[in-house]
Amino acid sequence: MANLYRSPEAERRVRDWCRRRLGGWAVPHETSTLETSLGTTHLVVAGEGATVCVYLPGTNFNAATSLGLVEQLSRRCRVLAVDLPGQPGLSSAQRPRPEAEGYGAWLEEVVAAVRSAYRPERLTVVGHSRGAAVALAGPVTVDALALVSPAGLAKVRMTRAVLATALPWMLRPTSARSAALLDLMSGPSAAPAPDLVTWLTLVAGDTRSSGAPGPLPGRITDRWRTRPVTVLVGSHDCFFPAERLGPAARDRLDAPVVVLDGLGHLAVEEDPELVVSRLPL
């Protein structure tokens, strides 16, 4: 299995970028690590209270790239933003095989550790894109599940526009190509954030990016049919459009889809305040 990072120096650059970004974040927070079956897992903890939210970012994203959302969550509850193992960030580079079962077991360990450390009155898991697929594979014992632009329910839509934008970014990354990819993943009124342009250029050059996971097997999604699940999607999501995601969520989870008007696949970055206002916290 290919290493996530292209070299030890590439790994250092990625991790240093994350540490610098977290170090410059003005919101009061703590960082910690948890030893799991997938190696060291890195967490950023902000906010306080008996309501706890575990946030799982999407492919190529992590806590350090999600500070806007984490700040909004911290105003409502205690939030733990977790870097997924096997994705660029501060957690282990180890990718689970098989993916769904491996991430599911890992998340069960994380949830157990959170319960032990904080004794929450209410525990919600929020996942974006790949993070949503991981959340679906995890324990159904949480109080609520929220999925934003989730992978794991339907096949990703690979249009010519997606391929024409993503492939050049992967093969020969530049700031302009990273900005174009962010623009594609966002709604029509969003402008690519300079920090995220820098981040995606770093990711494409220094890591071996992974594609979005496919639909999860029914034995995993069926467990959620009687559980409280919230599904959000941007009206301009290029990967999981509402017309595809809506029927999948109803058929597989018995859950309706809330469409966020004007937002894209990166709704959590475009308007974190709106996203958080729709979450079951």
Side-chain angles (χ1 to χ4, degrees):
M1 179 172 54
N3 193 288
L4 168 62
Y5 298 102
R6 297 184 183 276
S7 69
E9 293 75 18
E11 181 175 1
R12 177 185 53 77
R13 285 191 293 268
V14 168
R15 295 184 184 275
D16 284 351
W17 187 95
C18 294
R19 293 188 182 101
R20 286 195 302 271
R21 187 165 169 85
L22 290 172
W25 191 34
V27 173
H29 66 282
E30 298 176 350
T31 62
S32 64
T33 58
L34 175 66
E35 294 306 317
T36 73
S37 57
L38 292 180
T40 301
T41 293
H42 187 270
L43 305 93
V44 173
V45 185
E48 57 185 17
T51 296
V52 173
C53 170
V54 174
Y55 176 62
L56 307 175
T59 301
N60 293 328
F61 286 75
N62 52 49
T65 66
S66 307
L67 299 184
L69 183 75
V70 177
E71 180 178 0
Q72 291 297 324
L73 285 167
S74 73
R75 296 176 181 179
R76 299 273 302 274
C77 63
R78 189 189 306 272
V79 55
L80 291 87
V82 187
D83 287 8
L84 295 182
Q87 291 295 312
L90 295 174
S91 287
S92 161
Q94 184 176 347
R95 288 172 172 161
R97 292 291 185 272
E99 182 170 312
E101 289 78 2
Y103 271 133
W106 166 82
L107 183 55
E108 191 160 0
E109 296 173 66
V110 172
V111 167
V114 170
R115 288 195 186 279
S116 176
Y118 298 102
R119 304 292 181 186
E121 292 180 3
R122 179 176 175 82
L123 177 58
T124 299
V125 174
V126 178
H128 173 243
S129 194
R130 172 183 291 275
V134 174
L136 282 167
V140 297
T141 55
V142 298
D143 296 293
L145 185 69
L147 313 173
V148 187
S149 300
L153 296 177
K155 291 182 178 180
V156 64
R157 182 177 68 171
M158 296 300 294
T159 63
R160 290 183 178 179
V162 169
L163 292 173
T165 306
L167 288 178
W169 167 76
M170 293 176 65
L171 295 174
R172 296 188 65 183
T174 65
S175 295
R177 289 173 174 177
S178 297
L181 181 60
L182 287 167
D183 187 63
L184 177 74
M185 293 193 291
S186 303
S189 62
D195 282 351
L196 291 185
V197 171
T198 301
W199 169 251
L200 283 188
T201 306
L202 182 66
V203 165
D206 283 347
T207 75
R208 296 176 177 88
S209 180
S210 53
L216 294 166
R219 68 178 183 278
I220 290 178
T221 56
D222 286 348
R223 303 174 304 143
W224 294 99
R225 287 186 180 276
T226 60
R227 303 293 297 157
V229 180
T230 299
V231 182
L232 309 177
V233 66
S235 60
H236 293 271
D237 194 309
C238 61
F239 296 136
F240 302 108
E243 60 269 21
R244 176 177 295 191
L245 188 61
R250 288 191 297 270
D251 293 345
R252 309 197 72 192
L253 303 174
D254 291 332
V257 169
V258 177
V259 178
L260 304 174
D261 189 47
L263 303 183
H265 185 70
L266 292 181
V268 293
E269 302 293 336
E270 298 172 72
D271 196 340
E273 184 176 4
L274 175 61
V275 170
V276 170
S277 73
R278 303 296 178 88
L279 297 179
L281 300 173

